[in-house]
Amino acid sequence: MLLIHCPYCDETLPEAEFTYAGQAHVIRHPEPSSQTDQEWEEFLFIRENVKGDHFERWRHFHGCGRYFNAVRNTVSDKFLTTYKAGAPRPQLSDLKEGGE
Amino acid sequence: MSLYRVAGKGRVTTAKPVSFSFDGRTYKGLEGDTVASALLANGVHLMGRSFKYHRPRGPVAAGSEEPNALIGTRRGPGRFEPNTRATVQEIWDGLQVTSQNKYPSLKFDIGAVNDAAYMLFSAGFYYKTFMWPKSFWHKVYEPFIRAAAGLGVSPTEEDPDTYASRNMHCDLLIVGAGPTGLAAARAAAMDGLKVVVVDENPEAGGSLLSEPQVQINGQSAWDWLSGELDALQELGVKVMTRTTAIGYYHQNMIGLCEKVTDHLAVLPEDTPRERMWRVRAKQVVLAQGALEKPLVFNGNDRPGVMLAGSAQTYLNRYGVLVGKQPVILTSHDSAWHAAFDLHDAGAKVQAIVDTRDSVNEALQKEARDRGIPVKLSHTATGTSGRLRVKSLRVNPVSGATVGAGYNIACDAVLMSGGWTPSLHLFSHTKGSLAWDDDRTTFLPKETPEDCVIAGASRGLWGVAAALMDGAEKGRAVVAALGKKANVQDYSVEVDRAGSGVSHKELPTDQNPGKAKAFIDFQNDVTAKDVRLAVREGMRSIEHVKRYTTTGMATDQGKMSNINGLNIAADALGKKQPEVGLTTFRPPYTPTTFGAFAGYHRGDHFEVVRKTQIDSWAEENGAVFEPVGQWRRAWYFPKSGEDMDAAVRRECAATRASVGIFDASTLGKIEVVGPDAVEFMNRMYTNPWTKLAPGRCRYGLLLGDDGYIRDDGVIGRLSQDRFHVTTTTGGAARVLNMMEDYLQTEWPELNVWLTSTSEQWSTIALNGPNAAKLLQPLVDGVELTEEAFPHMSCIECTVAGLPARLFRVSFTGEIGFEVNVPAPYGRQLWEALWDAGQQYDITAYGTETMHVLRAEKGYIIVGQDTDGTVTPYDAGMGWAVGKKKPDFVGMRGLARPDLVAEGRKHLVGLLTEDHSKLEEGAQIVFDKNQPIPMTMVGHVTSSYDVGTTGRPIALALVEGGHDKVGDTVYIPMPDRTIAAKITDTVFYDPENNRLKIGSGV
């Protein structure tokens, strides 16, 4: 069972308290009507399938209830970092495995 | 004293005899015996029949890796467990043990004809032998295979035992309490560290228990062991025995299964049978040791053929000679010591047969001194004896030539093909392995976890090496924890570290195609099966494994994996590391379902959610149905009524006067805040800005793909407060979705979302008399068409209780939903029930609710929609706020395939012959087209007991909205039903009945 750091509670807690919520930084355009069919298709359906460091969303469901972002390595299953929703996407070069 | 018990040997308590039964016969053993050691002490080797060929089998090992000696254990009613290893189960007075996979008896088993018919059961036989005729599979082959093959029989009674679940946190967890693990614990048990050592055996000590001759720091091994255990206890180390580390999970979480009562004659009160521990350790030392490998030769599975190291364990730990005239067959030095120990305990060792052409001179001298004949450069080519080995056939080997064979009479063959480091838990960590050519085995390389592996499990043989490595690794993990380690030195004498070589199957002078040279004893896989699999095209070891089933039995290939790999690699003409090893998976040893389930059984397995009114429904004879986790009243039969009759009566009574329905399970979400209306505008398809406080609206929720996700009536209680209802099953999903958009897309909106599903009890009153019934109980509003029209809501009091009153209808009749704080639910229900007596009020359940709503064409999301239905498909374009700049799903609705022609539309169906359609039945336009027909939709809802006088159905049909009046066909197995497409509203399409005072 993974241990996950909630950036809102600032606690590292067992995976059972969290739910996975898909790829991170998939932005819903503020004016969806301005989007072409292809742009909307990409927003709805096209996701990365990363072997390696993956930006993804988690929710501290059985805790504070907040959605947040994380970088997790899909091979080692280790978290490189977690950060609040809305915070800028971190540079991978600044991160190392197991860090928070 | 039993026939094969050796006085003065072993750790069993001679003064404490224990009697138990095996296949109905009583045997005597000693306290400290396992079933296997006690039976062996009585000269019993035959303990089971094999999986496929029903060959007689005895124990080949002495520990949890045992593949053959599987037994059923019984302790009174309900307490039966199949497939327990006789080598692990401790005996106690009254234990009942049975052998498995035999009929009528262990000694004479009809299934053994499979052995003669072995050609039928070669690798992949499932895919080949029983293919034709096709019709034979279900009736002949499968029942035969299921009856003939297999392990124990599943218990049929409910397990009366309890199982516990526990969490533990520690600084260091050590798996294995042998010399390596104990040395690591000693090094770490300083500086306040919390250290836990676990071992699957009943006592700590590991290999030391089988090697009493070793001297450690001037003490005998067993004296040192007991002193060391005392010292560790003094230092606060927790040593858990009978506790198996079953799996190594992410981030140093280890699962432990502790067997608490299986060894006790009398079950203590209030004690679980097993405890599942979830341990989170900062550091882990794996010291699981090594497992001995069998040699692969014809007849290597006969009872009496066993691992040399296990024979040594039976002698030194249990005081049991497994044979009085054993012959040793080995490719490793360690078996020589087994020969010496058995000789010294009184056995007449017939010979030491070694496959190697040169062996350490000191060992040869020790053999000569004892008068044991030594045969180097030999192979074994067969065994004899029906239920117990009587002789071993050996042949000299010179280069590639196998010479003439001859028999050596014996009552046991003790074999050793060398040792395999136990890498199971290390593999669970995704640890990488490296092939070691010298030892012909894989050794651990790197692991991503905070874990080190020490001692024999990384290929270091001997007690001295184990202690040194354990201490060193213990110090290393303590350093990693930033603490001070204990520095301990060990001097070891009479150690028996040795070396050896590894083999594929042993060379033979006979037809290898007829050899029964077993690799995997439990799944009856032979060397020729693996070679056949390679000949038939299996290239990957994963394919070889699945095709032959080698390593797939309950022992997970503990003894067989490396032999299987060596032979597969040879057949493929590759080196072992190029072929690779199959993945070890948890659990390490078979683990009971009880241990995994823990407390989560019976009522605690899944919550049954009940409303406050559930008790009334139960008292009044309701039949219930599960809806998600909720238990809901389905219908309320009167005496003699079946479901159809009850539902027909409930429907009629509601349309004629008034019906009462428990709607408390409806999901409810309170949406509050200055931006609540903006949030609602963005979430739901409908426009909300102009909805006045005190009014309700039917809301439709889409996903951003444009498909319907949920629906419900939403009341605006004030400018900044909405009472949102959702479907019963959708409540959590809808709240999640709202939170997601609010938190991550529109964090600027000032809105709070609160689940209130369980805060309100909700009672629906429907029928022409609903308003008349309710009015006298309501304080704060006149229930007239003018003061409180359809789709109104208000906070008021009902029957003296604070209430939120909604005028809504899911039946087409005048309808109210009264929400009161949840605990008052039953009180309100009874008040309404009493007040309704003068109107013959009728309680109805979910089935009547479904029928009445279907008559009005009201959809149920998830029944009439399936995640690919748009509001337009469902005929609810009117609910879409077309002038809004955006809402969730608005852009999605404009996707090319959502505006394309020919989408499936929700329509009504009326069958021409007035028969009821099956929900889910497929629909076609042309009943005469050839099969396979083009399916154009399916029936989503269908009822025949309502108030419209004939069966009705809702269906999704391609282009259905443009086909009203057309006939479609529903092909069924026995006939084809014709049905006319209609509008979805079957009852009161003008909605006249919704009006108070309309006179209907």
Side-chain angles (χ1 to χ4, degrees):
Chain A
M1 190 187 293
L2 298 170
L3 291 172
I4 301 174
H5 184 83
C6 172
Y8 293 95
C9 299
D10 200 16
E11 295 264 12
T12 300
L13 297 158
E15 184 187 342
E17 293 195 15
F18 297 83
T19 49
Y20 181 72
Q23 187 176 317
H25 302 291
V26 178
I27 312 284
R28 185 179 190 271
H29 195 277
E31 286 175 39
S33 307
S34 70
Q35 298 281 284
T36 64
D37 284 338
Q38 195 188 334
E39 285 166 336
W40 201 244
E41 177 201 359
E42 278 175 19
F43 163 72
L44 284 179
F45 302 121
I46 308 302
R47 295 293 180 269
E48 291 174 26
N49 185 16
V50 179
K51 183 177 181 183
D53 297 326
H54 185 233
F55 291 81
E56 59 193 24
R57 304 193 314 148
W58 286 80
R59 186 180 181 203
H60 192 190
F61 189 78
H62 298 287
C64 64
R66 302 298 294 268
Y67 287 84
F68 59 88
N69 294 330
V71 186
R72 181 179 58 98
N73 187 291
T74 58
V75 179
S76 69
D77 241 346
K78 292 231 169 160
F79 282 87
L80 279 68
T81 189
T82 58
Y83 52 101
K84 292 179 180 178
R89 186 187 177 107
Q91 290 295 315
L92 281 178
S93 53
D94 296 342
L95 305 171
K96 67 169 195 286
E97 242 183 38
E100 263 158 16
Chain B
M1 185 71 73
S2 303
L3 212 49
Y4 290 84
R5 191 76 71 175
V6 183
K9 280 277 188 184
R11 298 174 69 82
V12 288
T13 315
T14 314
K16 292 193 176 162
V18 174
S19 85
F20 67 104
S21 73
F22 175 62
D23 281 347
R25 200 176 144 188
T26 302
Y27 290 91
K28 289 256 184 264
L30 298 176
E31 189 181 271
D33 263 329
T34 62
V35 170
S37 70
L39 287 174
L40 291 171
N42 286 281
V44 177
H45 274 254
L46 176 64
M47 293 186 198
R49 288 272 174 172
S50 73
F51 180 68
K52 205 157 72 178
Y53 301 124
H54 288 244
R55 285 168 68 93
R57 292 280 170 82
V60 65
S64 68
E65 73 272 29
E66 172 60 34
N68 283 341
L70 302 182
I71 52 169
T73 60
R74 176 173 285 283
R75 183 204 290 271
R79 292 191 165 92
F80 172 78
E81 184 177 271
N83 303 332
T84 302
R85 286 137 298 157
T87 52
V88 170
Q89 176 65 50
E90 296 165 68
I91 57 167
W92 39 267
D93 258 321
L95 171 67
Q96 298 165 41
V97 176
T98 47
S99 60
Q100 297 185 162
N101 207 27
K102 66 349 161 139
Y103 177 82
S105 77
L106 190 54
K107 287 188 180 166
F108 176 76
D109 172 27
I110 285 175
V113 297
N114 288 6
D115 196 21
Y118 66 93
M119 295 304 276
L120 292 179
F121 292 92
S122 59
F125 76 97
Y126 280 104
Y127 314 113
K128 297 190 288 210
T129 310
F130 299 103
M131 288 305 286
W132 32 255
K134 201 177 163 192
S135 59
F136 268 40
W137 177 254
H138 272 305
K139 297 216 162 79
V140 182
Y141 296 142
E142 192 184 1
F144 169 74
I145 293 170
R146 288 205 184 279
L151 301 169
V153 177
S154 295
T156 52
E157 302 145 302
E158 193 177 336
D159 184 348
D161 282 312
T162 57
Y163 297 82
S165 307
R166 290 278 183 280
N167 289 302
M168 191 194 319
H169 295 264
C170 61
D171 294 302
L172 173 60
L173 177 73
I174 298 167
V175 179
T180 308
L182 294 178
R186 187 64 185 261
M190 284 268 291
D191 214 3
L193 288 179
K194 184 173 177 190
V195 179
V196 179
V197 186
V198 299
D199 197 290
E200 61 178 350
N201 287 287
E203 55 178 337
S207 60
L208 295 178
L209 301 174
S210 306
E211 298 209 54
Q213 87 290 342
V214 177
Q215 297 278 317
I216 304 171
N217 295 347
Q219 286 181 294
S220 78
W222 290 358
D223 286 346
W224 178 85
L225 175 62
S226 74
E228 193 66 10
L229 289 172
D230 288 347
L232 289 174
Q233 192 180 12
E234 195 82 356
L235 290 163
V237 173
K238 183 181 171 94
V239 178
M240 299 171 71
T241 54
R242 297 190 182 90
T243 303
T244 306
I246 58 165
Y248 199 131
Y249 307 92
H250 287 114
Q251 286 171 281
N252 272 18
M253 198 186 92
I254 292 90
L256 306 177
C257 183
E258 179 185 13
K259 290 187 183 297
V260 184
T261 63
D262 274 1
H263 64 291
L264 299 174
V266 179
L267 292 180
E269 293 262 324
D270 302 326
T271 304
R273 179 179 172 222
E274 294 176 0
R275 266 186 214 112
M276 184 69 91
W277 293 86
R278 286 201 289 204
V279 182
R280 190 73 75 166
K282 288 186 185 138
Q283 293 283 337
V284 173
V285 172
L286 295 175
Q288 291 183 281
L291 296 172
E292 199 166 19
K293 268 189 317 217
L295 287 164
V296 181
F297 61 99
N298 186 26
N300 63 343
D301 66 324
R302 220 173 278 285
V305 182
M306 64 164 59
L307 295 168
S310 300
Q312 216 171 339
T313 294
Y314 283 117
L315 176 63
N316 290 326
R317 189 162 150 198
Y318 300 103
V320 174
L321 267 181
V322 297
K324 292 187 174 173
Q325 285 108 34
V327 57
I328 313 298
L329 176 67
T330 184
S331 65
H332 195 275
D333 295 343
S334 64
W336 290 65
H337 297 292
F340 304 155
D341 282 3
L342 265 74
H343 170 91
D344 297 349
K348 182 165 169 34
V349 177
Q350 303 291 295
I352 298 176
V353 181
D354 201 307
T355 63
R356 299 171 291 177
D357 53 14
S358 75
V359 170
N360 180 336
E361 182 50 39
L363 287 176
Q364 297 200 50
K365 179 174 183 305
E366 277 203 62
R368 278 197 301 275
D369 289 350
R370 288 175 170 90
I372 302 173
V374 170
K375 299 177 188 305
L376 301 185
S377 261
H378 269 63
T379 184
T381 54
T383 56
S384 75
R386 193 170 82 86
L387 301 176
R388 171 83 183 264
V389 67
K390 281 186 188 145
S391 71
L392 174 72
R393 184 171 183 269
V394 299
N395 312 50
V397 178
S398 166
T401 313
V402 177
Y406 55 94
N407 290 324
I408 303 173
C410 62
D411 63 354
V413 175
L414 309 183
M415 59 182 168
S416 177
W419 297 78
T420 306
S422 198
L423 294 168
H424 296 74
L425 263 66
F426 185 81
S427 281
H428 298 174
T429 69
K430 295 187 190 168
S432 60
L433 305 177
W435 179 255
D436 184 281
D437 245 344
D438 288 346
R439 298 181 181 84
T440 334
T441 193
F442 282 101
L443 292 180
K445 204 168 146 198
E446 281 174 352
T447 167
E449 298 289 348
D450 289 322
C451 145
V452 295
I453 185 161
S457 48
R458 65 183 196 100
L460 301 173
W461 310 143
V463 172
L467 289 166
M468 303 301 182
D469 196 44
E472 188 191 318
K473 294 296 184 295
R475 288 195 294 271
V477 293
V478 171
L481 290 165
K483 297 276 188 174
K484 276 208 312 278
N486 192 357
V487 179
Q488 197 81 16
D489 223 7
Y490 299 96
S491 71
V492 177
E493 283 165 58
V494 210
D495 198 2
R496 288 168 162 181
S499 65
V501 300
S502 189
H503 290 282
K504 50 189 204 284
E505 66 269 55
L506 294 183
T508 179
D509 58 341
Q510 295 173 331
N511 177 3
K514 293 205 165 158
K516 285 172 187 154
F518 285 90
I519 297 172
D520 182 326
F521 291 72
Q522 199 172 102
N523 264 357
D524 269 353
V525 180
T526 62
K528 71 176 161 39
D529 289 330
V530 169
R531 291 189 181 276
L532 179 65
V534 170
R535 277 206 305 281
E536 293 188 348
M538 307 301 141
R539 288 294 173 268
S540 154
I541 192 69
E542 298 287 354
H543 290 156
V544 171
K545 165 179 160 175
R546 281 156 184 80
Y547 197 58
T548 62
T549 73
T550 189
M552 286 172 67
T554 67
D555 61 345
Q556 293 252 301
K558 288 188 181 64
M559 287 184 358
S560 61
N561 272 354
I562 296 295
N563 280 334
L565 172 63
N566 286 346
I567 292 165
D570 184 63
L572 286 161
K574 289 182 177 176
K575 299 273 287 172
Q576 289 91 335
E578 296 166 34
V579 177
L581 195 59
T582 54
T583 312
F584 294 108
R585 299 195 192 283
Y588 176 68
T589 51
T591 307
T592 62
F593 283 114
F596 284 110
Y599 306 116
H600 303 290
R601 56 188 292 188
D603 291 344
H604 293 182
F605 176 66
E606 192 177 38
V607 177
V608 177
R609 299 174 78 182
K610 295 178 183 174
T611 71
Q612 296 292 323
I613 295 148
D614 180 89
S615 56
W616 188 94
E618 189 169 296
E619 288 159 27
N620 286 271
V623 176
F624 293 92
E625 69 164 342
V627 180
Q629 288 180 326
W630 288 102
R631 170 175 112 139
R632 299 194 72 180
W634 195 8
Y635 55 98
F636 290 84
K638 292 196 165 165
S639 116
E641 275 185 342
D642 62 6
M643 177 167 164
D644 281 358
V647 172
R648 196 171 282 121
R649 173 180 52 74
E650 291 170 15
C651 286
T654 303
R655 295 235 185 273
S657 179
V658 64
I660 184 167
F661 175 68
D662 179 7
S664 304
T665 63
L666 274 182
K668 301 167 209 76
I669 299 166
E670 195 96 336
V671 177
V672 186
D675 295 324
V677 69
E678 176 59 20
F679 179 75
M680 291 301 295
N681 278 336
R682 295 189 195 184
M683 285 308 301
Y684 280 80
T685 60
N686 322 63
W688 300 94
T689 309
K690 290 182 181 163
L691 183 73
R695 298 290 293 164
C696 310
R697 181 163 285 169
Y698 170 80
L700 205 49
L701 182 72
L702 311 184
D704 252 326
D705 51 13
Y707 295 132
I708 295 174
R709 290 288 195 282
D710 202 79
D711 69 348
V713 170
I714 295 163
R716 188 172 196 177
L717 296 166
S718 60
Q719 281 296 336
D720 61 354
R721 183 177 294 264
F722 289 85
H723 179 113
V724 174
T725 65
T726 73
T727 56
T728 292
R733 204 163 48 234
V734 172
L735 182 61
N736 286 349
M737 184 176 161
M738 288 183 172
E739 283 286 356
D740 194 350
Y741 278 88
L742 179 60
Q743 288 184 30
T744 65
E745 300 296 348
W746 312 314
E748 73 281 4
L749 292 185
N750 199 350
V751 177
W752 294 268
L753 305 171
T754 308
S755 167
T756 53
S757 299
E758 294 199 336
Q759 268 52 57
W760 298 104
S761 285
T762 307
I763 297 170
L765 281 176
N766 281 273
N769 290 319
K772 274 183 258 176
L773 186 166
L774 196 55
Q775 180 67 78
L777 299 170
V778 175
D779 206 0
V781 62
E782 288 293 311
L783 302 185
T784 61
E785 206 52 45
E786 297 69 35
F788 200 62
H790 185 57
M791 298 307 259
S792 298
C793 61
I794 192 167
E795 291 181 284
C796 61
T797 61
V798 177
L801 301 167
R804 284 184 180 175
L805 179 63
F806 286 71
R807 179 150 173 222
V808 294
S809 176
F810 201 42
T811 60
E813 305 298 328
I814 295 164
F816 297 92
E817 282 179 11
V818 190
N819 295 274
V820 292
Y824 298 120
R826 181 161 177 171
Q827 185 183 332
L828 175 67
W829 180 278
E830 288 179 356
L832 295 171
W833 184 252
D834 291 343
Q837 289 311 306
Q838 57 175 314
Y839 304 106
D840 288 331
I841 189 169
T842 297
Y844 65 91
T846 50
E847 188 64 17
T848 291
M849 178 268 283
H850 277 120
V851 175
L852 296 177
R853 67 88 203 175
E855 290 178 346
K856 287 292 290 180
Y858 298 147
I859 65 162
I860 289 190
V861 173
Q863 176 166 342
D864 301 302
T865 70
D866 63 1
T868 65
V869 176
T870 70
Y872 300 105
D873 298 340
M876 295 197 293
W878 50 265
V880 178
K882 294 160 197 71
K883 290 182 190 150
K884 296 203 291 183
D886 184 31
F887 57 82
V888 175
M890 187 177 192
R891 177 64 186 85
L893 284 173
R895 289 159 56 207
D897 48 332
L898 269 64
V899 295
E901 292 290 308
R903 290 191 58 80
K904 287 178 185 169
H905 297 152
L906 189 71
V907 294
L909 287 183
L910 290 173
T911 52
E912 285 181 357
D913 63 355
H914 288 225
S915 64
K916 184 197 167 198
L917 295 170
E918 293 274 341
E919 287 178 358
Q922 295 293 319
I923 298 167
V924 300
F925 288 142
D926 174 9
K927 66 175 172 179
N928 296 318
Q929 63 185 302
I931 291 170
M933 297 188 179
T934 304
M935 293 176 284
V936 296
H938 69 277
V939 178
T940 61
S941 295
S942 177
Y943 308 95
D944 72 351
V945 292
T947 50
T948 53
R950 61 183 294 180
I952 57 163
L954 298 174
L956 285 165
V957 178
E958 269 178 30
H961 290 159
D962 305 320
K963 292 191 163 63
V964 172
D966 289 5
T967 300
V968 292
Y969 299 92
I970 297 94
M972 298 301 289
D974 55 338
R975 68 205 170 108
T976 296
I977 304 170
K980 201 168 284 291
I981 296 180
T982 68
D983 188 69
T984 53
V985 183
F986 301 96
Y987 186 80
D988 185 28
E990 298 80 23
N991 287 332
N992 288 328
R993 300 182 63 89
L994 288 172
K995 297 194 182 79
I996 295 173
S998 62
V1000 289

